[in-house]
Amino acid sequence: MMQNTISKGVLPTIAFAFVTLLALVRFAEAVEIQRVTSPQGIEAWLVEDHTVPIVAVNFSFDGGSSQDPDGKEGLTRLLAATLDEGAGDLSSEDFQAKLEELAISIGFSTGKDRFYGSLRTLTSTLPEAGNLLALAVNAPRFDEAPIERMKTRLQTRARRSETDPDAIAGRSLVAAMFGDHTYARPTLGTTATIGALNANDLSAQHRKLLAKQGLTIGVVGAISAETLEPLLDKVFAGLPESGDLKTVAELTPTAGDEISEELAVPQTTILVALPGLKRDDPDYQAAYVMNHILGGGTFTSWMYQEVREKRGLSYGANTSLSPYRHSGLLIGSAATKAERAGETVSVMLDQFRRMADEGPTDDELRRAKQFITGSYALRFDSSGKIARQLVALQNAELGIDYFDRRNSEIDAVTLEDVRRVAKRLLAEKAPTVVTVGPKQG
């Protein structure tokens, strides 16, 4: 009886999930992207969808935390935290009250190479949302009280990261592999650098980063091109044509160091890394498939199987590709008991060598490509996700037809391609190995 009861409850759930996935697949295949240009020349990519009365806008500007001046690390991160803390004639309290009253979401964030913004609103409040976003983008106030409040919040995070094993490992890794390059500097900053920042710094960084040159915009939802055009001009047309960005040098990461940081925590955190690929590298799709088999595929990956399933060394072990505009990394990570850290590192390095020497089987390649193409539709299950994808495509210069091409590019990856890129990235190379944990680790 129990089995029958479970079956009756589970089967509809499975059926619903399957139908939902099929719907997402069909939606992904049917996405039509319009290139919209406003009267004042602001371009956006639009996916019009009137299923629900919601509009999602994502956008990005050229230049992120890599544009922080020396000694002012964390400035761009603080800029992201304060742009919606009062703008125009609205104080921080008034601005936030308007957002809450109208159920509008406006947010900003930063990466190494880009500065990001987003808007989520109902169509009924789109005019008010556009006004608020235009104020945040063009006329932030940078009042002292919200600046100090956000500085305190970021300093708390920075202070916490000083004793967080993952954060320590990450800093040690980029310091070893990026050296004195701007990528090695912390996006969050430090308690000292954050504490020294002021309104003048924020105003200068705002003028430096927020410009029309390099602006990318993705819009999804219940909005037509005719309605979008004046919104684009309202928010972005008043920005300067170009910012004042410093040149960021190309970088080949340095690998081979072994770094051990002592920290009194229950487990040892492990990072194993090699130079990776930039997104525009012709081998990137082959490397993406290779990484899925090596450590990106979670339960099916070599790392997970060898480190967790066969030896019980860690709750999980994975690898990932981290492409930047001027560099790239391939990073493996795990956490384990201190006394088994050496064994875990050894097993992880064995998988790097195995991939370089042998490569995957035909069946492993087939299953990896099947999963990668089949799960692609999950990136389209919300308007916000699609808007982010539209911006990402523009930033990587992948072309407006990439949604249509992507799965065929994955399907075209051959066993020879994967083995070639595995040798290119992994063969006869000594990774940087970072361990953070108790002394005996």
Side-chain angles (χ1 to χ4, degrees):
M1 288 296 294
M2 179 67 73
Q3 186 171 354
N4 291 337
T5 303
I6 292 174
S7 297
K8 289 178 181 177
V10 170
L11 285 176
T13 303
I14 295 174
F16 177 77
F18 181 70
V19 170
T20 301
L21 183 58
L22 283 179
L24 289 173
V25 170
R26 293 191 186 103
F27 180 78
E29 292 172 345
V31 167
E32 179 183 347
I33 305 173
Q34 304 175 58
R35 196 189 303 268
V36 178
T37 303
S38 74
Q40 297 189 53
I42 305 300
E43 181 180 302
W45 289 6
L46 167 65
V47 173
E48 192 172 343
D49 177 18
H50 294 269
T51 306
V52 291
I54 294 175
V55 176
V57 181
N58 276 61
F59 53 93
S60 75
F61 297 96
D62 202 4
S65 66
S66 61
Q67 297 295 321
D68 286 349
D70 292 340
K72 296 183 184 294
E73 291 79 10
L75 175 57
T76 307
R77 181 64 188 81
L78 182 61
L79 177 65
T82 52
L83 278 183
D84 62 347
E85 289 291 329
D89 60 353
L90 297 175
S91 67
S92 174
E93 293 80 4
D94 293 338
F95 195 95
Q96 292 297 318
K98 279 283 187 184
L99 294 178
E100 184 174 356
E101 174 191 346
L102 299 171
I104 296 168
S105 173
I106 291 176
F108 299 91
S109 62
T110 188
K112 295 289 187 186
D113 297 308
R114 306 285 300 185
F115 186 81
Y116 300 93
S118 66
L119 167 71
R120 303 288 182 267
T121 183
L122 296 170
T123 52
S124 59
T125 53
L126 182 60
E128 295 91 339
N131 290 336
L132 291 171
L133 181 60
L135 286 176
V137 168
N138 293 277
R141 290 168 62 109
F142 300 132
D143 293 332
E144 182 177 358
I147 289 176
E148 290 304 314
R149 186 173 70 253
M150 291 301 157
K151 283 170 59 175
T152 299
R153 184 176 298 177
L154 294 180
Q155 284 180 307
T156 300
R157 289 183 57 188
R159 193 173 297 112
R160 192 178 300 125
S161 75
E162 293 172 1
T163 55
D164 179 81
D166 293 334
I168 294 170
R171 286 195 298 271
S172 297
L173 182 74
V174 297
M177 300 194 74
F178 291 157
D180 59 0
H181 193 275
T182 184
Y183 282 167
R185 297 188 295 176
T187 297
L188 178 60
T190 67
T191 54
T193 60
I194 296 167
L197 299 175
N198 57 45
N200 290 334
D201 296 321
L202 290 168
S203 295
Q205 197 72 347
H206 174 261
R207 291 191 300 272
K208 178 192 289 187
L209 296 182
L210 272 66
K212 287 185 280 190
Q213 184 177 348
L215 170 65
T216 56
I217 307 168
V219 183
V220 178
I223 183 171
S224 66
E226 292 73 22
T227 303
L228 176 59
E229 289 175 7
L231 176 65
L232 295 175
D233 282 340
K234 177 191 290 288
V235 177
F236 302 109
L239 292 171
E241 287 298 324
S242 61
D244 183 23
L245 303 181
K246 66 182 179 182
T247 300
V248 177
E250 294 295 308
L251 171 67
T252 300
T254 301
D257 291 333
E258 295 184 9
I259 302 159
S260 180
E261 301 278 358
E262 186 176 341
L263 188 68
V265 289
Q267 289 191 318
T268 295
T269 295
I270 300 166
L271 294 179
V272 180
L274 282 165
L277 300 178
K278 296 190 294 184
R279 183 59 186 85
D280 60 359
D281 193 288
D283 274 338
Y284 188 84
Q285 296 290 40
Y288 189 84
V289 176
M290 182 273 292
N291 177 72
H292 180 88
I293 299 167
L294 176 63
T298 314
F299 305 117
T300 62
S301 73
W302 289 4
M303 285 290 182
Y304 187 90
Q305 289 294 317
E306 295 295 330
V307 174
R308 173 175 173 158
E309 290 299 302
K310 293 184 179 180
R311 296 171 176 84
L313 294 170
S314 174
Y315 283 115
N318 62 75
T319 60
S320 60
L321 292 170
S322 297
Y324 300 98
R325 177 177 296 176
H326 303 285
S327 190
L329 293 175
L330 170 62
I331 304 174
S333 63
T336 188
K337 294 179 180 178
E339 62 270 20
R340 304 195 73 179
E343 180 185 358
T344 304
V345 170
S346 179
V347 173
M348 294 174 73
L349 295 180
D350 283 346
Q351 305 321 303
F352 277 28
R353 284 188 289 267
R354 175 185 166 198
M355 182 62 76
D357 295 342
E358 303 173 17
T361 65
D362 282 315
D363 187 57
E364 286 172 327
L365 176 62
R366 178 189 59 78
R367 286 187 283 113
K369 293 197 296 184
Q370 188 176 52
F371 179 89
I372 293 170
T373 56
S375 62
Y376 188 50
L378 297 176
R379 302 188 187 185
F380 302 87
D381 65 353
S382 73
S383 56
K385 284 185 179 182
I386 303 169
R388 285 193 293 272
Q389 287 284 313
L390 294 177
V391 170
L393 297 193
Q394 294 173 76
N395 292 343
E397 299 181 350
L398 293 175
I400 202 166
D401 63 339
Y402 181 74
F403 287 165
D404 299 324
R405 299 184 346 252
R406 188 267 193 178
N407 277 357
S408 62
E409 290 183 6
I410 296 295
D411 282 333
V413 173
T414 67
L415 201 59
E416 180 182 341
D417 294 331
V418 172
R419 288 173 175 169
R420 183 190 68 252
V421 77
K423 290 186 181 300
R424 175 184 170 187
L425 295 177
L426 304 172
E428 299 179 0
K429 291 187 171 69
T432 296
V433 179
V434 178
T435 58
V436 178
K439 185 174 183 180
Q440 63 265 37

